[in-house]
Amino acid sequence: MIDVEKTSKDSTPFQSEWNTAHFFAGGGRGAVLKDLQEALADKTELVTLIGEEGSGKTMLCKMLQEQWDTTHKIISMPSVVESFEDVSRVAAQECNMEYPVDANRADAKKIFLDLVESLQSKGVSLLLICDEAEKMYLATLERIRTILDDVNAQGGG
């Protein structure tokens, strides 16, 4: 029997923050991580990871970021981004690219496409992870999807 009083916070896998040291590869999670890596390496354009709350989707994304040896620039979106402009702003900030305060919708698209082009010129692809995408506005998800079409029309990345 475990004495809960003596168990340190870091020793339990059930925490509000993700500690990838507690990743459990059993239950098919290791295989799912490998499948994710292979799908993305094969340039799969869109991957949807579905599972019940607490099944380990976020942990898999954290593991992908930490352990995948890739040329992708991996950016995790905050749990709630309200617009494509937010997506573009976060991506630009993560890539140390200036994002003007007064940027509008058209600017956001151009900034995002310029960011992808800049990464492509360095041989790097962009991978956006939208955790809790079910909480995003459909219009934001649709703009991400249409930007993906634009990126692919320009040669992928």
Side-chain angles (χ1 to χ4, degrees), residues 132-157:
E132 299 187 23
E134 74 277 5
K135 295 179 182 177
M136 292 172 75
Y137 291 116
L138 285 177
T140 301
L141 292 171
E142 178 61 17
R143 288 208 50 212
I144 291 171
R145 193 203 57 75
T146 58
I147 287 289
L148 180 62
D149 291 343
D150 292 341
V151 168
N152 289 329
Q154 294 178 5

Side-chain angles (χ1 to χ4, degrees), residues 21-90:
H22 293 293
F23 179 69
F24 176 64
R29 287 173 191 81
V32 170
L33 181 58
K34 184 177 180 225
D35 288 347
L36 279 171
Q37 292 170 339
E38 289 174 0
L40 295 168
D42 290 341
K43 299 188 180 196
T44 301
E45 298 167 2
L46 183 64
V47 176
T48 304
L49 188 59
I50 301 170
E52 295 294 321
E53 185 175 339
S55 62
K57 299 177 300 294
T58 300
M59 177 65 87
L60 283 166
C61 292
K62 299 291 182 193
M63 293 296 293
L64 184 70
Q65 284 181 274
E66 283 187 15
Q67 294 187 356
W68 190 30
D69 184 23
T70 182
T71 59
H72 286 78
K73 171 65 177 172
I74 303 174
I75 300 174
S76 287
M77 289 292 118
S79 55
V80 179
V81 287
E82 295 189 7
S83 66
F84 178 74
E85 290 79 8
D86 288 345
V87 171
S88 184
R89 180 182 43 76
V90 169

Side-chain angles (χ1 to χ4, degrees), residues 89-101:
R89 180 182 43 76
V90 169
Q93 289 171 345
E94 288 291 318
C95 293
N96 298 316
M97 191 173 172
E98 187 175 329
Y99 192 88
V101 176

Side-chain angles (χ1 to χ4, degrees), residues 1-15 22:
M1 182 142 92
I2 298 174
D3 184 352
V4 178
E5 296 293 321
K6 292 183 180 179
T7 303
S8 75
K9 181 181 176 194
D10 292 334
S11 67
T12 178
F14 305 106
Q15 300 175 31
H22 293 293

Side-chain angles (χ1 to χ4, degrees), residues 97-153:
M97 191 173 172
E98 187 175 329
Y99 192 88
V101 176
D102 60 344
N104 60 33
R105 284 180 63 130
D107 294 334
K109 179 178 180 179
K110 181 175 180 345
I111 290 167
F112 192 85
L113 291 173
D114 288 349
L115 168 70
V116 170
E117 185 178 323
S118 171
L119 290 172
Q120 283 177 323
S121 71
K122 299 172 187 167
V124 176
S125 295
L126 178 63
L127 172 60
L128 289 180
I129 296 178
C130 300
D131 196 10
E132 299 187 23
E134 74 277 5
K135 295 179 182 177
M136 292 172 75
Y137 291 116
L138 285 177
T140 301
L141 292 171
E142 178 61 17
R143 288 208 50 212
I144 291 171
R145 193 203 57 75
T146 58
I147 287 289
L148 180 62
D149 291 343
D150 292 341
V151 168
N152 289 329

